[in-house]
Amino acid sequence: IDLAKKTALENNIKAQTVEELLSDNSIDVVLNITIPQAHFEVSKKILEAGKHVYSEKPMSVKYEQAKELLQMSKNNNLYFGNAPDTFLGGGGQLSREIIDSSELGEILTGNFIFAFPGVQDFHPNPESWFQDGGGPVIDMGPYFFTTLVNLLGPAKQVWGSLMWNKKKRIIGIKLSFSAISMMAGYMRCI
């Protein structure tokens, strides 16, 4: 809470504990930017407090939990927004413009390849990347699939593959993990 108080003071806002924030009637929507493995629990508490949620991706690392959150929001007439919204950026919008111009003809499929060694060299708290519910599929995949869905429409079929280039790696705090380092995705839209 000390960092929250310091940041609040610098930005002329109010620092609150989670409990204070959830019981504050002047707050309508809460941004959930916790690690992916905590998204379900935190978002559920927000909805139970009667507040709208905007959460980082993924909504939950488990499909059934995501369905539960959507049902809770629907039952309580609350909105549940979910990142990523990166498709609204320059590259996504230029792609949208080109597709809408019909210059390319009918597009039937989309694909992406993402190769990345991991966050252990620069992230201050990289542990969640290497735990169940972390890594490039959960952390980075949604950006690419969301862009493809925005550009090409709903997916009819999704295929992916993963590759490990190291079975073990050491991160700054001397813990070793096995982690996916490359993924490829393919999406058929018709």
Side-chain angles (χ1 to χ4, degrees):
I1 191 78
D2 290 337
L3 180 58
K5 287 178 180 176
K6 178 182 178 287
T7 304
L9 187 62
E10 290 170 357
N11 293 284
N12 197 30
I13 57 176
K14 180 169 55 172
Q16 295 182 310
T17 65
V18 172
E19 294 76 22
E20 290 169 337
L21 184 137
L22 292 177
S23 63
D24 188 333
N25 290 330
S26 71
I27 296 173
D28 296 320
V29 62
V30 177
L31 172 63
N32 181 0
I33 55 172
T34 57
I35 62 171
Q37 295 87 343
H39 286 181
F40 170 74
E41 180 185 336
V42 171
S43 292
K44 185 174 182 178
K45 284 181 181 179
I46 297 167
L47 291 170
E48 288 171 343
K51 300 184 184 309
H52 306 287
V53 178
Y54 189 85
S55 179
E56 254 302 334
K57 55 41 183 153
M59 182 179 280
S60 172
V61 296
K62 306 284 184 203
Y63 176 73
E64 290 301 319
Q65 291 176 338
K67 282 177 46 178
E68 181 181 339
L69 292 174
L70 286 177
Q71 192 60 53
M72 284 180 70
S73 65
K74 182 178 180 182
N75 291 348
N76 294 296
N77 200 30
L78 296 167
Y79 291 108
F80 198 113
N82 199 224
D85 57 9
T86 51
F87 65 88
L88 297 172
Q93 292 304 295
L94 178 59
S95 299
R96 170 88 275 143
E97 185 180 318
I98 292 168
I99 289 170
D100 289 347
S101 75
S102 300
E103 289 179 50
L104 301 176
E106 184 180 14
I107 298 173
L108 305 177
T109 63
N111 73 318
F112 67 84
I113 295 173
F114 177 77
F116 185 65
V119 299
Q120 69 276 1
D121 292 332
F122 64 86
H123 197 286
N125 297 301
E127 295 84 1
S128 73
W129 177 275
F130 301 101
Q131 296 171 357
D132 186 32
V137 175
I138 293 288
D139 192 56
M140 299 306 294
Y143 294 111
F144 301 105
F145 278 116
T146 300
T147 298
L148 287 175
V149 169
N150 176 260
L151 295 174
L152 306 177
K156 303 287 191 247
Q157 180 182 37
V158 176
W159 169 88
S161 67
L162 307 168
M163 181 179 75
W164 282 262
N165 69 348
K166 295 179 183 177
K167 285 296 180 188
K168 277 198 168 183
R169 68 179 80 197
I170 306 293
I171 63 174
I173 59 171
K174 303 295 183 215
L175 296 175
S176 65
F177 299 91
S178 174
I180 297 165
S181 59
M182 184 185 136
M183 67 176 172
Y186 162 85
M187 185 177 81
R188 184 172 66 85
C189 299
I190 63 162

